[in-house]
PDB file of all heavy atoms in Angstrom:
ATOM      1  N   THR A 208     115.966  87.042  96.088  1.00 98.00           N
ATOM      2  CA  THR A 208     114.870  86.569  95.191  1.00 98.00           C
ATOM      3  C   THR A 208     114.242  87.643  94.313  1.00 98.00           C
ATOM      4  O   THR A 208     113.272  87.331  93.503  1.00 98.00           O
ATOM      5  CB  THR A 208     113.827  85.888  96.003  1.00 98.00           C
ATOM      6  OG1 THR A 208     113.211  86.824  96.937  1.00 98.00           O
ATOM      7  CG2 THR A 208     114.308  84.669  96.787  1.00 98.00           C
ATOM      8  N   GLY A 209     114.681  88.850  94.519  1.00 98.00           N
ATOM      9  CA  GLY A 209     113.990  89.898  93.756  1.00 98.00           C
ATOM     10  C   GLY A 209     112.611  90.104  94.172  1.00 98.00           C
ATOM     11  O   GLY A 209     111.738  90.623  93.431  1.00 98.00           O
ATOM     12  N   GLY A 210     112.323  89.783  95.432  1.00 98.00           N
ATOM     13  CA  GLY A 210     111.004  89.960  95.948  1.00 98.00           C
ATOM     14  C   GLY A 210     109.995  88.778  95.591  1.00 98.00           C
ATOM     15  O   GLY A 210     108.803  88.924  95.812  1.00 98.00           O
ATOM     16  N   ARG A 211     110.505  87.780  94.978  1.00 98.00           N
ATOM     17  CA  ARG A 211     109.728  86.618  94.598  1.00 98.00           C
ATOM     18  C   ARG A 211     109.740  85.463  95.608  1.00 98.00           C
ATOM     19  O   ARG A 211     110.740  84.716  95.443  1.00 98.00           O
ATOM     20  CB  ARG A 211     109.998  86.130  93.232  1.00 98.00           C
ATOM     21  CG  ARG A 211     109.144  84.996  92.730  1.00 98.00           C
ATOM     22  CD  ARG A 211     109.478  84.528  91.344  1.00 98.00           C
ATOM     23  NE  ARG A 211     108.773  83.296  91.021  1.00 98.00           N
ATOM     24  CZ  ARG A 211     108.830  82.626  89.887  1.00 98.00           C
ATOM     25  NH1 ARG A 211     109.684  83.070  88.868  1.00 98.00           N
ATOM     26  NH2 ARG A 211     108.182  81.550  89.737  1.00 98.00           N
ATOM     27  N   VAL A 212     108.943  85.525  96.511  1.00 98.00           N
ATOM     28  CA  VAL A 212     108.908  84.461  97.625  1.00 98.00           C
ATOM     29  C   VAL A 212     107.484  83.968  97.714  1.00 98.00           C
ATOM     30  O   VAL A 212     106.607  84.743  98.099  1.00 98.00           O
ATOM     31  CB  VAL A 212     109.470  84.978  98.980  1.00 98.00           C
ATOM     32  CG1 VAL A 212     109.543  83.765  99.971  1.00 98.00           C
ATOM     33  CG2 VAL A 212     110.790  85.655  98.874  1.00 98.00           C
ATOM     34  N   ASP A 213     107.226  82.721  97.444  1.00 98.00           N
ATOM     35  CA  ASP A 213     105.885  82.212  97.648  1.00 98.00           C
ATOM     36  C   ASP A 213     105.699  81.494  98.967  1.00 98.00           C
ATOM     37  O   ASP A 213     104.614  81.531  99.550  1.00 98.00           O
ATOM     38  CB  ASP A 213     105.584  81.212  96.454  1.00 98.00           C
ATOM     39  CG  ASP A 213     105.528  81.897  95.149  1.00 98.00           C
ATOM     40  OD1 ASP A 213     104.516  82.595  94.921  1.00 98.00           O
ATOM     41  OD2 ASP A 213     106.501  81.698  94.366  1.00 98.00           O
ATOM     42  N   ALA A 214     106.768  80.962  99.526  1.00 98.00           N
ATOM     43  CA  ALA A 214     106.738  80.315 100.795  1.00 98.00           C
ATOM     44  C   ALA A 214     108.042  80.343 101.511  1.00 98.00           C
ATOM     45  O   ALA A 214     109.083  80.393 100.893  1.00 98.00           O
ATOM     46  CB  ALA A 214     106.265  78.848 100.680  1.00 98.00           C
ATOM     47  N   PHE A 215     108.006  80.293 102.847  1.00 98.00           N
ATOM     48  CA  PHE A 215     109.237  80.237 103.675  1.00 98.00           C
ATOM     49  C   PHE A 215     109.019  79.146 104.688  1.00 98.00           C
ATOM     50  O   PHE A 215     107.949  79.105 105.390  1.00 98.00           O
ATOM     51  CB  PHE A 215     109.526  81.526 104.358  1.00 98.00           C
ATOM     52  CG  PHE A 215     110.528  81.461 105.415  1.00 98.00           C
ATOM     53  CD1 PHE A 215     111.890  81.258 105.096  1.00 98.00           C
ATOM     54  CD2 PHE A 215     110.291  81.542 106.771  1.00 98.00           C
ATOM     55  CE1 PHE A 215     112.898  81.109 106.069  1.00 98.00           C
ATOM     56  CE2 PHE A 215     111.174  81.443 107.754  1.00 98.00           C
ATOM     57  CZ  PHE A 215     112.531  81.255 107.401  1.00 98.00           C
ATOM     58  N   LEU A 216     109.977  78.189 104.854  1.00 98.00           N
ATOM     59  CA  LEU A 216     109.841  77.133 105.780  1.00 98.00           C
ATOM     60  C   LEU A 216     111.121  77.018 106.678  1.00 98.00           C
ATOM     61  O   LEU A 216     112.211  77.257 106.189  1.00 98.00           O
ATOM     62  CB  LEU A 216     109.704  75.790 105.082  1.00 98.00           C
ATOM     63  CG  LEU A 216     108.506  75.564 104.307  1.00 98.00           C
ATOM     64  CD1 LEU A 216     108.745  76.032 102.784  1.00 98.00           C
ATOM     65  CD2 LEU A 216     108.154  74.020 104.171  1.00 98.00           C
ATOM     66  N   ALA A 217     110.887  76.718 107.961  1.00 98.00           N
ATOM     67  CA  ALA A 217     112.051  76.561 108.909  1.00 98.00           C
ATOM     68  C   ALA A 217     111.657  75.702 110.097  1.00 98.00           C
ATOM     69  O   ALA A 217     110.544  75.818 110.654  1.00 98.00           O
ATOM     70  CB  ALA A 217     112.543  77.990 109.343  1.00 98.00           C
ATOM     71  N   THR A 218     112.660  74.932 110.510  1.00 97.00           N
ATOM     72  CA  THR A 218     112.485  74.214 111.778  1.00 97.00           C
ATOM     73  C   THR A 218     112.551  75.244 112.895  1.00 97.00           C
ATOM     74  O   THR A 218     113.114  76.413 112.754  1.00 97.00           O
ATOM     75  CB  THR A 218     113.635  73.213 111.971  1.00 97.00           C
ATOM     76  OG1 THR A 218     114.922  73.835 111.674  1.00 97.00           O
ATOM     77  CG2 THR A 218     113.514  71.989 111.034  1.00 97.00           C
ATOM     78  N   VAL A 219     112.109  74.865 114.027  1.00 97.00           N
ATOM     79  CA  VAL A 219     111.981  75.756 115.133  1.00 97.00           C
ATOM     80  C   VAL A 219     112.663  75.255 116.406  1.00 97.00           C
ATOM     81  O   VAL A 219     112.305  74.143 116.853  1.00 97.00           O
ATOM     82  CB  VAL A 219     110.524  76.126 115.493  1.00 97.00           C
ATOM     83  CG1 VAL A 219     110.349  76.891 116.801  1.00 97.00           C
ATOM     84  CG2 VAL A 219     109.875  76.959 114.398  1.00 97.00           C
ATOM     85  N   GLY A 220     113.646  76.019 116.942  1.00 94.00           N
ATOM     86  CA  GLY A 220     114.299  75.664 118.224  1.00 94.00           C
ATOM     87  C   GLY A 220     113.944  76.710 119.197  1.00 94.00           C
ATOM     88  O   GLY A 220     112.905  76.687 119.986  1.00 94.00           O
ATOM     89  N   THR A 221     114.691  77.889 119.193  1.00 94.00           N
ATOM     90  CA  THR A 221     114.322  79.028 120.011  1.00 94.00           C
ATOM     91  C   THR A 221     113.144  79.771 119.370  1.00 94.00           C
ATOM     92  O   THR A 221     112.506  80.631 119.966  1.00 94.00           O
ATOM     93  CB  THR A 221     115.465  80.027 120.151  1.00 94.00           C
ATOM     94  OG1 THR A 221     115.790  80.557 118.846  1.00 94.00           O
ATOM     95  CG2 THR A 221     116.607  79.350 120.734  1.00 94.00           C
ATOM     96  N   ALA A 222     112.950  79.548 118.104  1.00 96.00           N
ATOM     97  CA  ALA A 222     111.990  80.297 117.143  1.00 96.00           C
ATOM     98  C   ALA A 222     112.495  81.629 116.669  1.00 96.00           C
ATOM     99  O   ALA A 222     111.782  82.380 115.965  1.00 96.00           O
ATOM    100  CB  ALA A 222     110.627  80.452 117.853  1.00 96.00           C
ATOM    101  N   GLY A 223     113.731  81.985 117.018  1.00 97.00           N
ATOM    102  CA  GLY A 223     114.263  83.219 116.662  1.00 97.00           C
ATOM    103  C   GLY A 223     114.290  83.370 115.131  1.00 97.00           C
ATOM    104  O   GLY A 223     113.890  84.453 114.568  1.00 97.00           O
ATOM    105  N   THR A 224     114.689  82.427 114.418  1.00 98.00           N
ATOM    106  CA  THR A 224     114.799  82.440 112.950  1.00 98.00           C
ATOM    107  C   THR A 224     113.425  82.565 112.342  1.00 98.00           C
ATOM    108  O   THR A 224     113.182  83.487 111.541  1.00 98.00           O
ATOM    109  CB  THR A 224     115.517  81.208 112.384  1.00 98.00           C
ATOM    110  OG1 THR A 224     116.873  81.156 112.987  1.00 98.00           O
ATOM    111  CG2 THR A 224     115.680  81.379 110.930  1.00 98.00           C
ATOM    112  N   PHE A 225     112.502  81.592 112.674  1.00 98.00           N
ATOM    113  CA  PHE A 225     111.179  81.682 112.068  1.00 98.00           C
ATOM    114  C   PHE A 225     110.469  82.964 112.372  1.00 98.00           C
ATOM    115  O   PHE A 225     109.886  83.622 111.515  1.00 98.00           O
ATOM    116  CB  PHE A 225     110.349  80.491 112.462  1.00 98.00           C
ATOM    117  CG  PHE A 225     108.973  80.446 111.834  1.00 98.00           C
ATOM    118  CD1 PHE A 225     108.899  79.911 110.628  1.00 98.00           C
ATOM    119  CD2 PHE A 225     107.924  81.079 112.440  1.00 98.00           C
ATOM    120  CE1 PHE A 225     107.650  79.898 110.007  1.00 98.00           C
ATOM    121  CE2 PHE A 225     106.671  81.005 111.797  1.00 98.00           C
ATOM    122  CZ  PHE A 225     106.527  80.448 110.567  1.00 98.00           C
TER     123      PHE A 225
END
Side-chain angles (χ1 to χ4, degrees):
T208 59
R211 181 179 172 182
V212 184
D213 293 287
F215 169 71
L216 296 89
T218 50
V219 169
T221 64
T224 301
F225 182 85

